[in-house]
Amino acid sequence: MYEWFKLFHLAAGVIWLGGMSLLVWVLRPVVISRMPPPERLVLMTDVLSRFFLFVWISILLLLISGFWMLSVTDSHLAPKGWHAMSGLGILMCLIFAHIWFVPFRRLKVAVSVSDWPAAGKALGQIHPMVLTNFALGWLAMLAVLVWR
């Protein structure tokens, strides 16, 4: 049973981190260099809408599987890296919730009324938070691997 929870935990983390990698390092630079702002903002809103649903599912799986794996382990015997990963993971979830409820909501509204400056501003607010979550995700993995 433990192995299944670990598989779901790892898969959810791969989906979230992999999606951020694709968005930040591949899709965003190409879209910026090849598309005018209105088309770029519509495309990024559609892509983020779809990706963020996968992030919500990943968060659910990460929280359920992570808390379950911690619950079946004596917390005093659990490696310190697990506790660090838990804290970093919860911080990532809070940052993502902020992205979802504040700048992403503004982005969708601005795109729906073709307010391109406001949409650009909202999308620009999302980018540094995604970079922060990307770095935190790698730190969480590093903590688990190194801090025993």
Side-chain angles (χ1 to χ4, degrees), residues 4 9 12 16 23 35 57 60 75 85-86 88 90 97-98 100 104 117 125 128 140 146 148:
W4 284 104
H9 196 77
W16 193 359
L23 286 170
M35 297 178 83
I57 294 166
L60 183 65
S75 64
M85 178 181 59
S86 298
L88 291 168
I90 290 169
H98 175 74
W100 175 267
F104 183 60
Q125 292 169 339
V146 174
R148 302 233 171 231

Side-chain angles (χ1 to χ4, degrees), residues 22-50:
L22 177 70
L23 286 170
V24 169
W25 308 117
V26 179
L27 182 63
R28 183 177 181 271
V30 170
V31 167
I32 287 172
S33 70
R34 303 230 177 216
M35 297 178 83
E39 288 85 6
R40 173 173 64 227
L41 292 163
V42 170
L43 175 68
M44 290 305 292
T45 302
D46 291 346
V47 167
L48 290 175
S49 293
R50 191 171 266 231

Side-chain angles (χ1 to χ4, degrees), residues 15-105:
I15 289 167
W16 193 359
L17 277 176
M20 286 190 290
S21 296
L22 177 70
L23 286 170
V24 169
W25 308 117
V26 179
L27 182 63
R28 183 177 181 271
V30 170
V31 167
I32 287 172
S33 70
R34 303 230 177 216
M35 297 178 83
E39 288 85 6
R40 173 173 64 227
L41 292 163
V42 170
L43 175 68
M44 290 305 292
T45 302
D46 291 346
V47 167
L48 290 175
S49 293
R50 191 171 266 231
F51 173 61
F52 285 171
L53 291 176
F54 283 96
V55 173
W56 279 117
I57 294 166
S58 293
I59 286 172
L60 183 65
L61 287 172
L62 285 162
L63 292 175
I64 290 170
S65 60
F67 285 124
W68 185 86
M69 288 187 291
L70 273 173
S71 75
V72 298
T73 305
D74 185 353
S75 64
H76 299 292
L77 299 176
K80 291 178 182 171
W82 287 19
H83 298 287
M85 178 181 59
S86 298
L88 291 168
I90 290 169
L91 179 58
M92 289 176 69
C93 293
L94 292 172
I95 290 169
F96 176 73
H98 175 74
I99 291 169
W100 175 267
F101 289 110
V102 181
F104 183 60
R105 183 171 285 175

Side-chain angles (χ1 to χ4, degrees), residues 1-11 65 68-69 72:
M1 182 86 159
Y2 184 89
E3 290 78 16
W4 284 104
F5 278 89
K6 189 174 183 179
L7 173 66
F8 289 130
H9 196 77
L10 290 171
S65 60
W68 185 86
M69 288 187 291
V72 298

Side-chain angles (χ1 to χ4, degrees), residues 113-148:
V113 296
S114 302
D115 184 351
W116 307 124
K121 181 180 178 187
L123 190 58
Q125 292 169 339
I126 291 169
H127 180 70
M129 288 184 272
V130 170
L131 289 176
T132 300
N133 263 356
F134 185 75
L136 291 173
W138 282 100
L139 282 174
M141 285 196 307
L142 182 65
V144 167
L145 293 172
V146 174
W147 200 1
R148 302 233 171 231

